[in-house]
Amino acid sequence: MTEHEERSKAKIPGEDTGIEIKHSLCAICSPSHHCGLDCYVKDGKIVRVEGTPEHPYNHGRLCTKGSSQRSYIYREDRIKTPLRRIGARGEGKFEPISWEEAYRIVAERLGQVKEAYSPNAVAFYSGYSKWYRPIYQRFAHVFGSVNFGTDDSVCAVSMKMGNKVTMGGGAAPDMAHANTFLGWNYDGYYSHHLSVEGVRKLKERGGKVIIIDIRCTPAAKNLADIFLQIDPGTDGALALGMAKLILDNGWADMDYIEKYTYGFEQYKQLVDQYPLDKVSKITGLKPEDIYEATKLYATNGPACVNFSASALVHRINGFNANRAILCLMAVTGNYDRVGGNYPIPATYLRQSAGFHTRDEQFRIEKYPGTAERIGAQRFPLWNAHYDEFQSMDLLRQLEEGTPYPIKAMFALGFNAKMFPESDKLLKVMAEKLDFIVDVDLFMNMSANYADIVLPACSSVERSELKCYQGGYLVYTQPAIAPLYESKSDADILCELARAMDLDDELLKGGYEACVEWIIDGCGLTLADLKTSSLPMKVPTAQLPVKPGKYLKEGFKTRTGKFEFYSTAIAAIDPKYGLDPLPSYVDSLADQDDEETRMAYPFYFCTGARKPYAIHSRLHDTPWIRTLQPEPTCELSKQDAVHMDLKDGDTVTISSPYGCIDMKVKTTSKIKPGVVLALPGYTKANVNELLGRDHLDPYSGFPGYKGMRCNITKRQEEKA
Ligand SMILES: Nc1nc2c(c(=O)[nH]1)N[C@H]1C(S)=C(S)[C@@H](COP(=O)(O)OP(=O)(O)OC[C@H]3O[C@@H](n4cnc5c(=O)[nH]c(N)nc54)[C@H](O)[C@@H]3O)O[C@H]1N2
Ligand SMILES: Nc1nc2c(c(=O)[nH]1)N[C@H]1C(S)=C(S)[C@@H](COP(=O)(O)OP(=O)(O)OC[C@H]3O[C@@H](n4cnc5c(=O)[nH]c(N)nc54)[C@H](O)[C@@H]3O)O[C@H]1N2
Ligand SMILES: [Mo]
């Protein structure tokens, strides 16, 4: 009896269960942690899911989101066939059509736009899903458009750009060798639950943990030796203040600074403007707490820091706040040293697994030309350092038609609720676009605006290439056949490439041909990968990746040094006013006039992660929805008392851009004046309250986590 058979017998009573356990992966969540999933399949249907015990990443564990897999994939609103719109845009009236018909229409209509305007008039967009990205980006470029853009416009890339212009590479924490972990906006239990183990082990070894957050999270409660509950959006000032303390108290690593860094004198002048009492006022923290945390971080080394993909960089001052924290690594000599933070080379989909693939080359080798991508003029730093359009400028370019009109959008997983002024974006798309295609698993408010809607299948219904830390690679096999007439995104793109007769034999050759090309040279072939349903060790993986490369060979910046003063930013036209130093500005600086302050006195922070939610994906998944049936915001107990609010009351949250209603949950975990809420609800979309120009000028990232709002008890509740 195989191990699988033994397990299914042990778990499910009865002699012949007819159940087969198939390995797959859960892709509901972040691509950096797609857990191995065991699907118990009976008669072509998944009857149970568990984490895969033998999987090198999650070792059998599965979170709330992953456990909802069945409820997710068997949702009623799955798109079942290709659809053609027959009502007005947004109305939601469609008729089923065949795949052949759908491909024919898409090929013809995109071809017309290309002919009448230019290939760049077609914007190719992707929502959060990442697995098909190399295929998709190449598809857009082979079509001839420079305009490929994704949710990277708002997720993680601001942080990665900070790394690029400061060190030239990433900043992975070397948790296994650190004595101190500075968990700066680290909410591991909620957003990266498998990372908690590393922090726990550090504590078991006698290591110390500092957590800096605006809310008292499980990480603060369970892991922190020192917890700083900072006022939202003020982290940049704290980081500069900490640097001053470190320098003034002789805790700095002056040898490191001298040998490996650039721009220290200018940086020191900036830092000197942030004495402890001033920083205490800005951040709402006690001077003695800042002092203790700084001393621990600087003197109990080696110390590593956590960098968040969203918490700070979802603010208009976020890029430089993040950079100010990066600089602390150099001040204390903790970058590229054992126990600090260090660069790890990317493997596939920009993930690190310690071996080389050709996915970057696959993405960009067909880049079609010199035209400016969407957002290029407005966000020159983004444009210089990332090979996608900045989607936060899409609404403007659609409206104004400059520097050239956008006339069609082809999207995989388009979700307008992720964009500021979501309603406005949909309205303008309806007016300005000749043709819209959306590929999704579920019918939603954005897909209702498309002319053609195509049904995608989920991760358990498809094959996909995936790498994992530790030098692993897997090519998954479908646990069940695609539901209804749905297909894998990669297959859709490759079939469409054939229907459009694009000039690219790889794409036309299909997903597996592309995968073979991408992994060629890594030491495993697709045929090898197909012999195992679990991740395989890649022979060329060089592990463990050791710190010290940049210190030896030079940093990947213009000066070859760690740049306190960024020469990449200095190279941007001064008219944009970007500061090469990590200077601090207020996170509400553009909403600071007296009138706005009085009308919208609360600080609205949206999207701090919760274990039962991810963007728009799970709010309509029945089993998960029972955990929090109504869109709900969190408010401090003090504010609630003041406003005569209790749990379950309905409030109206308003901004200069609109208002939404949510239920209230009172909490003692956040400070007075702060309102927290999740994005992604259709009934109460927080991004309708966010202005389209409330953007970080360095990255173009929106201030999702720092904007003004007002909150009032709804009239009926008052009665
Ligand atoms: N206010 C506020 N807004 C935010 C954030 C915040 O913190 N606050 N966070 C931002 C961040 S960091 C991110 S990453 C974005 C994410 O924002 P989105 O990109 O909107 O993410 P999702 O809602 O997860 O997915 C988008 C769509 O993809 C579909 N989808 C799921 N799987 C697949 C698939 O395999 N194929 C296809 N074709 N479609 C699929 C989903 O059904 C959904 O309709 O949201 C951003 N928006
Ligand atoms: N469960 C779940 N997990 C997810 C996601 C999800 O939607 N749900 N999304 C995934 C995606 S796309 C992303 S980008 C990542 C984001 O991953 P993270 O960046 O880890 O997640 P966040 O919860 O946005 O932020 C981390 C912490 O920062 C805190 N914070 C907010 N504002 C501030 C501030 O001004 N200063 C400080 N010091 N702390 C602050 C929040 O309270 C939170 O505890 O999560 C990924 N993981
Ligand atoms: Mo994200």
Side-chain angles (χ1 to χ4, degrees):
M1 202 185 295
T2 68
E3 193 183 342
H4 278 171
E5 284 162 352
E6 268 176 42
R7 274 177 55 217
S8 60
K9 287 248 151 116
K11 296 246 161 78
I12 293 145
E15 256 309 289
D16 184 15
T17 60
I19 289 170
E20 196 182 344
I21 303 177
K22 296 199 172 179
H23 293 312
S24 181
L25 60 81
C26 169
I28 291 177
C29 188
S30 297
S32 49
H33 33 111
H34 279 175
C35 292
L37 190 73
D38 276 1
C39 299
Y40 288 60
V41 179
K42 184 173 178 163
D43 302 329
K45 197 165 162 138
I46 300 178
V47 293
R48 176 192 180 99
V49 292
E50 283 175 359
T52 304
E54 312 88 331
H55 199 281
Y57 178 64
N58 57 315
H59 304 286
R61 281 166 291 194
L62 200 60
C63 77
T64 324
K65 297 178 260 73
S67 307
S68 79
Q69 198 79 26
R70 292 176 58 243
S71 187
Y72 180 73
I73 67 162
Y74 293 120
R75 258 165 65 174
E76 295 274 310
D77 56 345
R78 277 288 294 262
I79 302 165
K80 299 184 175 63
T81 66
L83 299 168
R84 177 189 9 223
R85 181 171 60 82
I86 48 173
R89 280 197 170 139
E91 200 183 346
K93 285 199 183 138
F94 291 89
E95 64 179 9
I97 53 171
S98 69
W99 276 102
E100 291 67 33
E101 176 76 350
Y103 287 149
R104 192 189 57 70
I105 296 170
V106 174
E108 189 181 301
R109 299 293 303 274
L110 292 184
Q112 282 166 359
V113 172
K114 184 173 177 173
E115 187 85 350
Y117 299 91
S118 110
N120 302 318
V122 182
F124 290 87
Y125 178 80
S126 168
Y128 185 60
S129 289
K130 315 257 192 292
W131 72 280
Y132 48 67
R133 295 273 176 97
I135 313 285
Y136 189 25
Q137 185 160 359
R138 186 174 174 108
F139 182 96
H141 295 337
V142 175
F143 176 82
S145 179
V146 296
N147 282 318
F148 174 79
T150 72
D151 77 309
D152 284 7
S153 296
V154 304
C155 179
V157 170
S158 173
M159 178 190 85
K160 291 179 186 170
M161 274 169 56
N163 294 341
K164 202 167 166 195
V165 305
T166 308
M167 301 93 71
D174 186 9
M175 200 73 85
H177 303 101
N179 281 328
T180 298
F181 170 56
L182 176 51
W184 208 308
N185 45 66
Y186 173 78
D187 75 345
Y189 289 91
Y190 288 173
S191 70
H192 303 87
H193 73 105
L194 293 173
S195 70
V196 171
E197 193 179 337
V199 189
R200 277 230 204 87
K201 282 193 178 145
L202 173 141
K203 279 186 81 77
E204 279 161 24
R205 291 198 317 270
K208 298 287 182 199
V209 175
I210 304 161
I211 297 286
I212 305 177
D213 206 299
I214 62 165
R215 53 178 181 173
C216 183
T217 59
K221 203 159 158 259
N222 299 334
L223 303 170
D225 295 286
I226 297 180
F227 170 46
L228 302 183
Q229 189 160 11
I230 190 171
D231 285 353
T234 62
D235 304 74
L238 177 61
L240 294 172
M242 286 172 71
K244 179 163 171 58
L245 277 178
I246 294 168
L247 291 164
D248 289 354
N249 285 288
W251 301 327
D253 186 336
M254 294 313 290
D255 285 345
Y256 189 100
I257 292 172
E258 208 164 290
K259 219 162 148 189
Y260 301 119
T261 71
Y262 177 80
F264 177 66
E265 283 312 314
Q266 291 113 306
Y267 170 69
K268 186 163 183 322
Q269 279 172 22
L270 170 68
V271 157
D272 277 338
Q273 295 164 35
Y274 289 86
L276 192 50
D277 53 343
K278 177 174 164 184
V279 173
S280 160
K281 277 205 195 84
I282 297 175
T283 58
L285 297 167
K286 289 191 193 130
E288 57 273 26
D289 292 347
I290 300 175
Y291 180 90
E292 283 308 320
T294 307
K295 185 175 176 191
L296 181 64
Y297 167 69
T299 62
N300 189 46
C304 66
V305 192
N306 167 77
F307 292 94
S308 153
S310 77
L312 298 191
V313 295
H314 283 172
R315 289 202 170 76
I316 63 163
N317 65 0
F319 179 83
N320 262 349
N322 189 68
R323 238 171 71 70
I325 302 171
L326 290 176
C327 290
L328 292 176
M329 302 186 304
V331 174
T332 53
N334 273 306
Y335 184 68
D336 207 20
R337 289 237 173 99
V338 172
N341 292 71
Y342 65 110
I344 298 186
T347 291
Y348 175 65
L349 287 177
R350 301 176 171 138
Q351 314 264 9
S352 306
F355 54 93
H356 179 71
T357 62
R358 300 197 288 174
D359 68 311
E360 287 300 311
Q361 192 184 338
F362 187 86
R363 281 167 187 265
I364 55 159
E365 72 174 7
K366 299 275 179 180
Y367 192 75
T370 52
E372 280 182 339
R373 290 186 291 249
I374 297 163
Q377 286 185 14
R378 203 159 154 212
F379 303 106
L381 190 68
W382 165 278
N383 193 51
H385 294 279
Y386 205 57
D387 60 12
E388 294 185 6
F389 72 72
Q390 179 31 288
S391 67
M392 290 303 115
D393 200 35
L394 179 64
L395 175 52
R396 187 210 58 78
Q397 185 154 345
L398 280 172
E399 268 187 337
E400 296 176 11
T402 55
Y404 52 85
I406 300 296
K407 284 292 175 185
M409 181 155 112
F410 182 96
L412 305 186
F414 171 60
N415 172 24
K417 285 178 286 185
M418 176 270 241
F419 288 75
E421 296 187 40
S422 322
D423 278 2
K424 181 78 184 171
L425 176 66
L426 286 173
K427 195 162 163 281
V428 171
M429 282 174 60
E431 282 166 18
K432 300 281 185 179
L433 292 178
D434 291 348
F435 188 57
I436 306 172
V437 183
D438 190 24
V439 185
D440 206 303
L441 272 79
F442 309 105
M443 204 59 209
N444 58 38
M445 120 191 175
S446 305
N448 277 337
Y449 282 76
D451 301 287
I452 297 288
V453 177
L454 302 175
C457 67
S458 72
S459 62
V460 295
E461 301 155 62
R462 68 185 179 222
S463 285
E464 77 173 79
L465 181 72
K466 177 92 202 158
C467 73
Y468 287 96
Q469 274 174 28
Y472 291 97
L473 193 59
V474 67
Y475 185 72
T476 62
Q477 291 301 318
I480 53 169
L483 294 176
Y484 318 105
E485 289 182 31
S486 67
K487 288 178 190 253
S488 112
D489 299 273
D491 290 346
I492 295 172
L493 290 168
C494 292
E495 287 171 12
L496 197 53
R498 266 175 241 142
M500 295 167 83
D501 196 22
L502 294 185
D503 182 18
D504 189 51
E505 291 315 309
L506 270 177
L507 287 180
K508 286 195 285 194
Y511 180 53
E512 294 201 346
C514 299
V515 166
E516 297 239 42
W517 193 93
I518 287 170
I519 63 174
D520 185 40
C522 84
L524 287 177
T525 62
L526 185 59
D528 297 331
L529 289 174
K530 281 184 174 176
T531 62
S532 168
S533 56
L534 284 169
M536 293 174 83
K537 201 95 193 197
V538 174
T540 55
Q542 290 187 337
L543 292 163
V545 179
K546 289 205 179 78
K549 190 173 158 64
Y550 285 11
L551 298 191
K552 206 158 77 210
E553 296 170 11
F555 290 71
K556 304 261 185 296
T557 54
R558 288 163 198 232
T559 57
K561 307 262 184 185
F562 184 109
E563 295 191 357
F564 290 119
Y565 179 95
S566 163
T567 54
I569 300 177
I572 301 292
D573 189 330
K575 77 176 184 199
Y576 289 96
L578 304 185
D579 190 349
L581 291 169
S583 51
Y584 173 73
V585 292
D586 194 277
S587 66
L588 303 174
D590 60 348
Q591 305 183 325
D592 206 31
D593 58 290
E594 181 69 13
E595 204 181 315
T596 314
R597 268 209 312 265
M598 298 302 283
Y600 304 101
F602 286 90
Y603 194 104
F604 198 27
C605 176
T606 66
R609 298 335 188 199
K610 291 281 190 179
Y612 52 80
I614 179 153
H615 317 143
S616 72
R617 289 186 179 197
L618 293 177
H619 295 321
D620 294 323
T621 295
W623 183 71
I624 292 275
R625 187 67 181 243
T626 61
L627 298 173
Q628 186 173 285
E630 293 293 327
T632 300
C633 66
E634 288 177 85
L635 191 68
S636 77
K637 295 232 185 266
Q638 292 96 312
D639 284 331
V641 167
H642 195 65
M643 297 170 67
D644 189 26
L645 284 167
K646 59 181 186 321
D647 284 351
D649 282 353
T650 303
V651 288
T652 300
I653 310 171
S654 58
S655 83
Y657 299 90
C659 59
I660 55 172
D661 286 348
M662 284 192 160
K663 295 278 182 202
V664 159
K665 182 176 180 299
T666 63
T667 174
S668 49
K669 297 192 170 116
I670 55 174
K671 289 185 176 180
V674 179
V675 181
L676 290 185
L678 286 175
Y681 288 102
T682 306
K683 203 167 97 181
N685 170 15
V686 294
N687 287 338
E688 275 165 34
L689 308 190
L690 175 59
R692 64 167 88 172
D693 294 325
H694 186 57
L695 304 170
D696 183 333
Y698 294 78
S699 60
F701 272 40
Y704 291 129
K705 291 196 170 58
M707 53 178 149
R708 286 189 179 281
C709 78
N710 193 19
I711 174 164
T712 48
K713 195 167 180 172
R714 219 175 54 182
Q715 286 310 316
E716 303 94 271
E717 306 279 346
K718 285 184 188 161

